[in-house]
Amino acid sequence: MRGYVLSLLVVFLFYALLMFTYNVVAIKHVYVGAISNVFFAEKAAYLVDDVSADIRPVLGLDTPANSTLLIFAENFTIVRSTFFSNYVQFLANYSAVANANMSASYSDPLNITFSNGFVYRTNFATNRTDFFNASGGAAAVAAYEANITTNETRSGLSLPAWTANGTFVRVNYIDSTNPNKNFVESGFVNPNILNTMDIKFGAGQSVLLRFGLIEGRPNSYRMEQVAIFTATSHALTVNRTTKDAIYAYYNVPLNVTIAGARFDGSVPAN
Amino acid sequence: MRVEDKVHGEYDWIENWVECMIKKDAGKRGFVASLDAVFSLLLAILFVTMILSVIRDVPDLPSFQLQREAMDVLTVLEHRDSFYSPDTTLAETSDSICARLELHAGAGGTIAAQFVKPGCPLSDSEERMSWRSFFNGSQMMTAKLVVWVKDNPLTGD
């Protein structure tokens, strides 16, 4: 009789130990599962940042912390339509390497859209770059600073009508073939009328910098190459009137799917 | 009838059955005891197997941490634009981490360049890796960062 009682006790002991171990492992699983989920989310975010960093050499945005500045840098030496066409194909191959399912699509023009309604748009087909407030009203911008480098020598320059106040404008022109033609011009312009700086290159060939009222949008900016493609780089620094937090996205839809996490949206620009 | 008497009454048959079996097969008690031992052993084996099977499913946490470290280093390399001169960044990683950076043409194509963190062997059996794509000005490239724990007591490295 005692043997059977002992056996029953052993069975109960095993059962108790089993339950205890099961609970310990279950808790550990919950803990590890939570860490795994965080890791998968981090990896998805990492891949999204990876794609964003790949686009930056074409059109980059820097938003310094605790600053009102938005700094755009555009490289015109990269054939952008070819770049994006190749890049979409590259992503398909990269997916296998990165152990993720990634796909993106692209269509001209390339935009950076901000959470406050600002839009930076670069149109490859028309060689035109715009910055404006798409949500209506004048862009809340105190100053524009444009830095333009060209690979041809300018023949003339026409300045806008400077005013006593308004939006401050500064243009730094670098002529990479003839440094004597470099210039820096600055002044205030009326943001409610169209102001044009014309950098002339030949008959009907110009790089036009426009400030103010453009297509019905006050205090906007446009850089346009007319009958010439001479700009190799274009950097625009926008000094906002407010310092609120701002988020920006390329108009490049991206899908990243990995085991345990997924991103489906536009590529972040900052 | 009191509750205690009812309970005793319900379990009397077990006691009677056991006594009967003992009397009937008194000569076979050794066999029953052996059977009991085998049964216990089977239970023990079942118990251990279940625990091991559950524990085996637990993901490898250090692996996550190593991959996280690799992703972090690759991000820094891209932001510093220093894929082709990574020594400074690799040297800034933890002393216990070893790393090897491979730069591949296209998406994981041929190796264009390779760098190893100073003081580390070329490879290890407990490697973990992460990838990152980058544009080198003319073509898309991929960087593969392989990391492992330098002083791994299990491997003796």
Side-chain angles (χ1 to χ4, degrees):
Chain A
M1 181 65 189
R2 270 182 292 175
Y4 288 96
V5 172
L6 199 62
S7 296
L8 276 175
L9 279 175
V10 168
V11 168
F12 279 122
L13 186 64
F14 269 128
Y15 180 75
L17 278 172
L18 185 67
M19 286 297 103
F20 173 75
T21 311
Y22 179 79
N23 282 323
V24 167
V25 173
I27 290 168
K28 194 176 178 185
H29 258 279
V30 170
Y31 168 72
V32 172
I35 291 176
S36 308
N37 289 339
V38 170
F39 173 77
F40 294 137
E42 280 181 0
K43 186 176 178 183
Y46 167 81
L47 291 171
V48 172
D49 179 65
D50 191 2
V51 172
S52 176
D54 292 340
I55 298 174
R56 275 183 208 127
V58 178
L59 172 60
L61 168 66
D62 185 17
T63 51
N66 199 27
S67 165
T68 57
L69 299 181
L70 305 174
I71 304 168
F72 303 90
E74 204 172 347
N75 186 343
F76 290 122
T77 61
I78 299 171
V79 183
R80 290 165 285 182
S81 55
T82 307
F83 172 85
F84 279 105
S85 172
N86 291 341
Y87 188 69
V88 169
Q89 180 59 42
F90 169 82
L91 268 190
N93 299 328
Y94 181 56
S95 295
V97 171
N99 198 21
N101 192 359
M102 302 168 72
S103 63
S105 59
Y106 166 76
S107 61
D108 195 35
L110 178 62
N111 289 354
I112 293 180
T113 305
F114 292 83
S115 52
N116 67 350
F118 285 172
V119 174
Y120 182 99
R121 174 176 296 162
T122 179
N123 193 318
F124 307 161
T126 60
N127 291 328
R128 187 184 286 171
T129 296
D130 288 283
F131 180 87
F132 55 91
N133 180 15
S135 59
V141 172
Y144 288 107
E145 179 178 338
N147 291 274
I148 296 170
T149 305
T150 65
N151 58 10
E152 292 185 50
T153 302
R154 69 181 172 89
S155 57
L157 175 65
S158 168
L159 296 176
W162 302 121
T163 55
N165 49 41
T167 302
F168 182 75
V169 165
R170 185 173 186 273
V171 175
N172 180 16
Y173 171 81
I174 298 170
D175 194 322
S176 58
T177 54
N178 185 356
N180 291 329
K181 294 287 186 175
N182 294 355
F183 70 81
V184 177
E185 293 287 349
S186 61
F188 289 93
V189 295
N190 184 342
N192 298 311
I193 62 169
L194 179 62
N195 306 275
T196 303
M197 179 182 286
D198 187 354
I199 306 171
K200 298 176 172 49
F201 288 86
Q205 297 178 317
S206 290
V207 172
L208 300 175
L209 298 176
R210 300 186 191 276
F211 308 92
L213 188 66
I214 302 170
E215 294 185 5
R217 299 185 183 104
N219 209 16
S220 300
Y221 168 86
R222 171 174 290 173
M223 193 279 280
E224 182 177 8
Q225 300 184 74
V226 180
I228 192 171
F229 190 76
T230 184
T232 54
S233 70
H234 170 234
L236 177 68
T237 300
V238 176
N239 191 358
R240 296 179 290 149
T241 57
T242 57
K243 202 190 281 186
D244 51 334
I246 199 165
Y247 306 98
Y249 303 88
Y250 293 104
N251 62 331
V252 177
L254 173 70
N255 177 273
V256 175
T257 306
I258 62 171
R262 185 165 183 260
F263 174 86
D264 202 354
S266 299
V267 177
N270 68 334
Chain B
M1 183 184 285
R2 292 186 308 160
V3 175
E4 290 82 1
D5 294 339
K6 190 178 179 184
V7 170
H8 280 299
E10 283 184 358
Y11 290 99
D12 279 350
W13 68 271
I14 299 175
E15 198 172 332
N16 294 336
W17 179 75
V18 170
E19 282 177 6
C20 180
M21 292 297 289
I22 291 171
K23 284 174 185 172
K24 188 179 175 185
D25 296 319
K28 295 180 179 177
R29 260 186 282 181
F31 173 74
V32 172
S34 300
L35 202 64
D36 189 41
V38 169
F39 180 63
S40 299
L41 197 63
L42 283 173
L43 264 180
I45 291 169
L46 180 71
F47 174 72
V48 170
T49 307
M50 287 175 74
I51 291 173
L52 286 179
S53 68
V54 173
I55 290 174
R56 196 176 54 186
D57 290 339
V58 174
D60 185 9
L61 281 178
S63 165
F64 285 163
Q65 194 52 43
L66 279 175
Q67 282 196 49
R68 187 179 278 156
E69 180 104 11
M71 291 191 300
D72 191 25
V73 172
L74 285 168
T75 305
V76 172
L77 284 170
E78 178 148 32
H79 285 265
R80 288 180 175 174
D81 194 18
S82 59
F83 279 116
Y84 287 92
S85 52
D87 287 349
T88 305
T89 305
L90 294 181
E92 288 171 359
T93 58
S94 165
D95 290 342
S96 61
I97 298 289
C98 271
R100 181 179 78 251
L101 177 69
E102 297 173 5
L103 304 182
H104 295 251
T110 54
I111 297 178
Q114 180 172 275
F115 307 88
V116 179
K117 181 180 173 181
C120 287
L122 186 63
S123 62
D124 189 87
S125 59
E126 298 289 322
E127 295 177 345
R128 295 289 182 274
M129 72 177 87
S130 280
W131 292 81
R132 192 169 180 95
S133 60
F134 67 100
F135 186 63
N136 75 347
S138 59
Q139 65 168 331
M140 288 306 301
M141 304 278 291
T142 41
K144 172 186 171 185
L145 188 72
V146 182
V147 291
W148 63 91
V149 179
K150 191 175 188 180
D151 300 309
N152 190 335
L154 296 176
T155 60
D157 291 332

